Short mmCIF file of all heavy atoms in Angstrom, two decimals:
data_model
loop_
_atom_site.label_atom_id
_atom_site.label_comp_id
_atom_site.label_asym_id
_atom_site.label_seq_id
_atom_site.Cartn_x
_atom_site.Cartn_y
_atom_site.Cartn_z
N GLU A 167 122.61 163.02 118.99
CA GLU A 167 124.03 162.97 118.62
C GLU A 167 124.24 162.96 117.11
O GLU A 167 125.34 163.27 116.63
CB GLU A 167 124.67 161.72 119.23
CG GLU A 167 124.75 161.77 120.75
CD GLU A 167 125.18 160.43 121.32
OE1 GLU A 167 124.32 159.52 121.39
OE2 GLU A 167 126.36 160.29 121.70
N ASN A 168 123.20 162.60 116.36
CA ASN A 168 123.31 162.56 114.91
C ASN A 168 122.77 163.83 114.26
O ASN A 168 122.66 163.91 113.04
CB ASN A 168 122.56 161.35 114.36
CG ASN A 168 123.12 160.04 114.87
OD1 ASN A 168 124.33 159.84 114.88
ND2 ASN A 168 122.25 159.14 115.32
N GLY A 169 122.41 164.80 115.11
CA GLY A 169 121.90 166.06 114.58
C GLY A 169 120.43 166.03 114.22
O GLY A 169 119.93 166.98 113.61
N ASN A 170 119.73 164.96 114.58
CA ASN A 170 118.31 164.87 114.28
C ASN A 170 117.47 165.58 115.34
O ASN A 170 117.73 165.42 116.54
CB ASN A 170 117.87 163.40 114.21
CG ASN A 170 118.61 162.62 113.14
OD1 ASN A 170 118.72 163.08 112.01
ND2 ASN A 170 119.12 161.46 113.49
N GLU A 171 116.48 166.34 114.88
CA GLU A 171 115.58 166.99 115.83
C GLU A 171 114.74 165.93 116.55
O GLU A 171 114.30 164.96 115.95
CB GLU A 171 114.66 167.97 115.10
CG GLU A 171 115.37 169.15 114.50
CD GLU A 171 114.41 170.13 113.84
OE1 GLU A 171 113.18 170.01 114.09
OE2 GLU A 171 114.86 170.99 113.07
N ILE A 172 114.53 166.12 117.83
CA ILE A 172 113.77 165.16 118.62
C ILE A 172 112.95 165.92 119.65
O ILE A 172 113.46 166.80 120.35
CB ILE A 172 114.70 164.12 119.29
CG1 ILE A 172 113.91 163.14 120.14
CG2 ILE A 172 115.80 164.79 120.10
CD1 ILE A 172 114.76 161.97 120.65
N SER A 173 111.66 165.62 119.71
CA SER A 173 110.77 166.32 120.64
C SER A 173 110.16 165.38 121.68
O SER A 173 109.62 165.84 122.69
CB SER A 173 109.65 167.03 119.87
OG SER A 173 108.89 166.09 119.14
N SER A 174 110.23 164.07 121.42
CA SER A 174 109.65 163.11 122.35
C SER A 174 110.39 161.79 122.24
O SER A 174 111.11 161.54 121.26
CB SER A 174 108.16 162.91 122.06
OG SER A 174 107.98 162.34 120.78
N ILE A 175 110.19 160.95 123.25
CA ILE A 175 110.74 159.59 123.23
C ILE A 175 109.55 158.64 123.22
O ILE A 175 108.73 158.64 124.15
CB ILE A 175 111.65 159.34 124.44
CG1 ILE A 175 112.85 160.30 124.37
CG2 ILE A 175 112.13 157.89 124.48
CD1 ILE A 175 113.78 160.21 125.55
N LYS A 176 109.45 157.85 122.16
CA LYS A 176 108.31 156.97 121.97
C LYS A 176 108.48 155.67 122.75
O LYS A 176 109.59 155.20 122.96
CB LYS A 176 108.13 156.64 120.48
CG LYS A 176 107.96 157.86 119.58
CD LYS A 176 106.69 158.62 119.89
CE LYS A 176 106.47 159.76 118.90
NZ LYS A 176 105.28 160.57 119.25
N GLU A 177 107.35 155.10 123.18
CA GLU A 177 107.38 153.79 123.83
C GLU A 177 108.02 152.78 122.89
O GLU A 177 107.74 152.74 121.69
CB GLU A 177 105.95 153.35 124.16
CG GLU A 177 105.88 152.04 124.91
CD GLU A 177 104.46 151.69 125.34
OE1 GLU A 177 103.56 152.53 125.16
OE2 GLU A 177 104.26 150.58 125.86
N GLY A 178 108.92 151.96 123.43
CA GLY A 178 109.64 150.98 122.62
C GLY A 178 111.01 151.46 122.19
O GLY A 178 111.80 150.69 121.64
N SER A 179 111.33 152.75 122.44
CA SER A 179 112.66 153.27 122.11
C SER A 179 113.69 152.69 123.09
O SER A 179 113.37 152.21 124.17
CB SER A 179 112.67 154.80 122.20
OG SER A 179 111.75 155.37 121.28
N PHE A 180 114.96 152.77 122.69
CA PHE A 180 116.01 152.24 123.55
C PHE A 180 117.34 152.91 123.21
O PHE A 180 117.49 153.51 122.15
CB PHE A 180 116.14 150.71 123.38
CG PHE A 180 116.36 150.27 121.96
CD1 PHE A 180 117.64 150.19 121.43
CD2 PHE A 180 115.28 149.96 121.14
CE1 PHE A 180 117.85 149.79 120.12
CE2 PHE A 180 115.47 149.56 119.82
CZ PHE A 180 116.76 149.47 119.32
N GLY A 181 118.28 152.81 124.14
CA GLY A 181 119.62 153.36 123.94
C GLY A 181 119.83 154.65 124.71
O GLY A 181 118.90 155.45 124.90
N ASP A 182 121.08 154.85 125.18
CA ASP A 182 121.43 156.10 125.86
C ASP A 182 121.29 157.27 124.88
O ASP A 182 121.56 157.14 123.69
CB ASP A 182 122.86 156.04 126.38
CG ASP A 182 123.03 155.03 127.50
OD1 ASP A 182 122.03 154.72 128.18
OD2 ASP A 182 124.16 154.53 127.69
N LEU A 183 120.88 158.42 125.41
CA LEU A 183 120.66 159.60 124.58
C LEU A 183 121.48 160.77 125.10
O LEU A 183 121.56 161.00 126.31
CB LEU A 183 119.18 160.01 124.58
CG LEU A 183 118.21 159.09 123.84
CD1 LEU A 183 116.78 159.53 124.10
CD2 LEU A 183 118.50 159.10 122.34
N VAL A 184 122.12 161.48 124.18
CA VAL A 184 122.78 162.75 124.49
C VAL A 184 122.07 163.81 123.67
O VAL A 184 122.15 163.81 122.43
CB VAL A 184 124.28 162.72 124.17
CG1 VAL A 184 124.90 164.09 124.47
CG2 VAL A 184 124.98 161.63 124.97
N LEU A 185 121.34 164.69 124.34
CA LEU A 185 120.52 165.69 123.67
C LEU A 185 121.09 167.08 123.89
O LEU A 185 121.42 167.45 125.01
CB LEU A 185 119.08 165.64 124.20
CG LEU A 185 118.39 164.27 124.11
CD1 LEU A 185 116.99 164.36 124.72
CD2 LEU A 185 118.30 163.80 122.67
N THR A 186 121.18 167.80 122.82
CA THR A 186 121.73 169.16 122.88
C THR A 186 120.62 170.16 122.61
O THR A 186 119.89 170.05 121.61
CB THR A 186 122.86 169.34 121.84
OG1 THR A 186 123.90 168.39 122.12
CG2 THR A 186 123.44 170.74 121.92
N ALA A 187 120.50 171.14 123.50
CA ALA A 187 119.47 172.17 123.34
C ALA A 187 119.97 173.23 122.36
O ALA A 187 121.14 173.62 122.39
CB ALA A 187 119.15 172.80 124.68
N ARG A 188 119.07 173.69 121.52
CA ARG A 188 119.40 174.81 120.62
C ARG A 188 118.55 176.01 121.00
O ARG A 188 117.34 175.88 121.23
CB ARG A 188 119.17 174.40 119.16
CG ARG A 188 120.10 173.31 118.68
CD ARG A 188 120.15 173.19 117.18
NE ARG A 188 118.87 172.80 116.60
CZ ARG A 188 118.74 172.42 115.33
NH1 ARG A 188 119.80 172.40 114.52
NH2 ARG A 188 117.55 172.06 114.85
N PHE A 189 119.22 177.14 121.07
CA PHE A 189 118.56 178.39 121.47
C PHE A 189 118.83 179.47 120.43
O PHE A 189 119.77 179.37 119.63
CB PHE A 189 119.12 178.90 122.81
CG PHE A 189 118.81 178.02 123.99
CD1 PHE A 189 119.69 177.01 124.37
CD2 PHE A 189 117.66 178.21 124.74
CE1 PHE A 189 119.42 176.21 125.47
CE2 PHE A 189 117.39 177.43 125.85
CZ PHE A 189 118.27 176.42 126.21
N THR A 190 118.02 180.49 120.49
CA THR A 190 118.29 181.71 119.74
C THR A 190 118.24 182.88 120.72
O THR A 190 117.40 182.89 121.64
CB THR A 190 117.26 181.90 118.60
OG1 THR A 190 117.63 183.06 117.82
CG2 THR A 190 115.86 182.12 119.14
#
Side-chain angles (χ1 to χ4, degrees):
E167 293 171 282
N168 299 314
N170 300 312
E171 294 183 14
I172 179 171
S173 60
S174 64
I175 297 176
K176 303 296 185 184
E177 183 175 353
S179 299
F180 55 88
D182 293 336
L183 290 172
V184 178
L185 304 178
T186 301
R188 294 197 296 191
F189 294 91
T190 184

